[in-house]
Amino acid sequence: MVDANDIEPDTCPRASGMPMLGLGTWQNTDPDQCAESVRTALEMGYRHVDTAQAYGNEDAVGEGIARADVDRDEIFLATKISTANLAHDDVLETARDSLDRLGADTIDLLYVHWPKGEYDPEGTLSAFDELYDDGLIENVGVSNFEPEDLEVALDELDAPIFANQVEMHPLLQQDHVRKACENYDVEVVAYSPLARGQVFEVDELEDVAGKHGVTEAQVSLAWLIEKGVTPIPKATGEDHIADNWEALALELDDEDLDAIDAIERTSREVDPADAPWN
């Protein structure tokens, strides 16, 4: 049995410098619990932490980073500009607010959270270019962008788009989004990589998990990483943080990958009426 504490940070593969397994913090709104989960993950070996203005926990994430016995320059820190803050001047102002809350001088990856609300490709993305040119952000990201949204953003930005963060898991394999991102040299980051618990109820994943003596969560995360996608599962307790980290030790064979690729059941867990795919 693999012990999470035996998996070194450098075991985690990287995509263009980004660790390909991160800690998600959506709904982790209890300040002390959030800070402790971030500290626990970092000291276990995680080096990628994802948050957002809309999560209301940037202060706590910053506190967790401060508590951890890990140098800041080893950590890949990502956050997102809320849809209400996507007007040009609001992007500039609230990005600096996020830096203050996170206790950071720079953000490694700053996302447009959704292409909706106050999002305007020209105004929004020109502000991201300014933040990039000023060195306040290392990389520009987008989230929940369909291929056509991605094409528009690429035309507007001077800075490269580093990543597109979308819901992805074995029940939502996002072939068209992954293909578009591959064509444009954009990394894919997967939120809700465990389909909000649905992966524990899929026969194919149960079979692969049983074969390897691991959990269905680990199978889903290992499958994503094998696809070149960076999962950011949310977890608060040490047991779940460790279980997810242990996915790095799982090697899926071709039979496993084929079985997962062939899953016919589909489930999209995040599906607002005004999402770009609706």
Side-chain angles (χ1 to χ4, degrees), residues 11-181:
T11 302
C12 185
R14 289 179 175 257
S16 303
M18 174 179 63
M20 290 185 67
L21 179 60
L23 177 71
T25 61
W26 178 68
Q27 289 190 328
N28 196 350
T29 54
D30 179 272
D32 189 62
Q33 180 187 64
C34 182
E36 276 301 292
S37 64
V38 170
R39 181 197 64 79
T40 296
L42 289 172
E43 294 189 350
M44 188 176 292
Y46 286 74
R47 293 294 182 266
H48 180 173
V49 180
D50 181 272
T51 183
Q53 292 176 348
Y55 300 170
N57 62 9
E58 288 177 321
D59 284 308
V61 169
E63 174 62 23
I65 291 172
R67 290 182 190 179
D69 187 22
V70 177
D71 290 341
R72 169 65 184 93
D73 60 9
E74 296 182 23
I75 300 167
F76 189 92
L77 177 60
T79 192
K80 310 173 194 73
I81 301 290
S82 297
T83 56
N85 297 331
L86 289 172
H88 178 276
D89 290 351
D90 291 338
V91 170
L92 298 178
E93 179 181 351
T94 66
R96 288 170 168 82
D97 293 339
S98 289
L99 281 164
D100 289 342
R101 286 190 291 268
L102 291 163
D105 294 325
T106 60
I107 294 168
D108 296 283
L109 177 56
L110 183 68
Y111 293 96
V112 176
H113 204 153
W114 288 84
K116 62 178 186 175
E118 296 302 312
Y119 177 69
D120 167 67
E122 182 178 359
T124 300
L125 298 174
S126 63
F128 273 70
D129 272 329
E130 288 182 44
L131 293 168
Y132 180 83
D133 290 341
D134 290 343
L136 296 178
I137 64 175
E138 296 294 329
N139 296 285
V140 173
V142 296
S143 184
N144 298 297
F145 276 43
E146 289 288 284
E148 53 269 30
D149 303 305
L150 187 61
E151 291 173 9
V152 171
L154 285 161
D155 285 341
E156 290 290 343
L157 276 162
D158 292 327
I161 294 179
F162 181 86
N164 184 14
Q165 184 177 135
V166 297
E167 179 184 348
M168 184 178 167
H169 42 73
L171 301 180
L172 186 66
Q173 301 196 8
Q174 294 279 27
D175 292 338
H176 69 298
V177 171
R178 285 193 289 127
K179 181 63 174 176
C181 288

